[in-house]
Structure formats: structure tokens, C-alpha cells
Amino acid sequence: MTQPASTPTVEELEEQERRLVFRRFTHEDAWALGSLLVETARERQAPVAIDIHRSGQQLFHAALPGSAPDNDAWIARKRRVVERYGSASYLVGARHRAKGTTFEESSRLDPDTYAAHGGSFPITVEGAGVIGAVTVSGLPQLEDHRMVVEALERFLAQL
């Protein structure tokens, strides 16, 4: 399923979260999802780092050519937004923008610790809620977000 070229609305982003839910999420699922993201990034020659965390444990990490140590710092900052708010990092930022402000101005959180920029998406399991996050960093924030959403759509369609 391809994403529209325009910037998604808050409602569209919330619908993505309602739709992209797992029945379970194992170590093997993390490996398969991470590998799918690596394959996608290689096909596009995207200079990204990819990370999957569950319950505070890193289950997958890859850094592709052209990525940098800063991408790992961005991953951590975006993932912390998902862990704190239980929503995609891009959605959290979009909610603030929709109110005429920015996450940095209104959250009162340290921007060196939290970044409501696109690329981190909650791993939500039916009956358990948000248990982790899958994160991409290295592209413009909406492209990071779209890469994760596309991979989740493809992965969940296979189950």
C-alpha cells in the first residue's frame, strides 16, 4: 500500500496506529521485520540506521552505508517519545503542530532526550498495548515514518 504524496493528517496517522497491530511480537518477528527494513533500505540506497526495541531490550539494530553515529542518537530520542506517549514520534509532533505549537515548545522535555520527529512507530500487541518501537533514522522525518509504516504493512500482511 503506497502512501499519499501529501503530508498525512493527525487522523490518518492515528488510523495507521489502529490498523498496524500485532497478535504477538517475538524475537523472530523482530529479526524478520528488521531484515525487511534493511532489504527495503538497500533497494532504495537509503543511508539509514534501523532499530527495534521491545520492553527495554534492543532486539534488532542495523546501520547501512551512509548512516552515521548521529542516527543512533536520533533513534534513541524518537524511541523515547514512543515509549513516553505510546504513539508514533511523527504523530506526537503532528498533534503539537496541529495546535499551532511545537513539541519542543510545549512538552517541556529535554530536546537532547526526546525528539517528536518521524521515524519511530509503536509496536502494539492486541491485549497488551504498546510493548516497543521500530525506528528508522537517516532520511527526512516523513520519509523515515513512511518507511516504517510501509514495512509494518508488508510484514503484517504476511501473517
Side-chain angles (χ1 to χ4, degrees):
M1 189 173 180
T2 59
Q3 297 292 327
S6 62
T7 302
T9 65
V10 168
E11 293 76 20
E12 289 167 330
L13 295 166
E14 289 172 341
E15 188 277 329
Q16 289 173 347
E17 289 191 0
R18 284 191 296 275
R19 186 170 41 85
L20 299 173
V21 175
F22 291 82
R23 285 191 290 273
R24 60 167 173 69
F25 192 80
T26 66
H27 286 76
E28 292 77 18
D29 293 325
W31 180 262
L33 177 59
S35 297
L36 176 61
L37 276 161
V38 167
E39 177 185 318
T40 300
R42 283 184 175 154
E43 288 171 0
R44 297 174 187 175
Q45 297 180 336
V48 298
I50 300 160
D51 180 87
I52 300 175
H53 265 69
R54 183 188 70 183
S55 303
Q57 181 183 20
Q58 185 178 55
L59 300 183
F60 185 92
H61 185 83
L64 277 68
S67 64
D70 278 351
N71 295 121
D72 291 332
W74 275 99
I75 283 171
R77 292 167 58 214
K78 293 190 281 188
R79 186 185 71 247
R80 285 186 198 107
V81 168
V82 172
E83 292 167 349
R84 183 175 185 111
Y85 291 90
S87 290
S89 55
Y90 191 78
L91 173 56
V92 173
R95 284 176 175 152
H96 284 86
R97 288 187 295 276
K99 293 176 185 174
T101 185
T102 66
F103 175 79
E104 294 78 12
E105 290 171 352
S106 60
S107 72
R108 300 176 53 111
L109 295 172
D110 181 355
D112 289 334
T113 305
Y114 296 90
H117 293 258
S120 192
F121 200 93
I123 298 169
T124 304
V125 174
E126 292 175 8
V130 176
I131 58 135
V134 54
T135 311
V136 168
S137 176
L139 303 171
Q141 66 169 326
L142 183 53
E143 291 179 43
D144 281 347
H145 174 81
R146 286 184 170 150
M147 184 178 282
V148 172
V149 168
E150 179 186 330
L152 287 168
E153 289 171 339
R154 288 175 56 196
F155 186 82
L156 288 166
Q158 299 170 15
L159 299 180

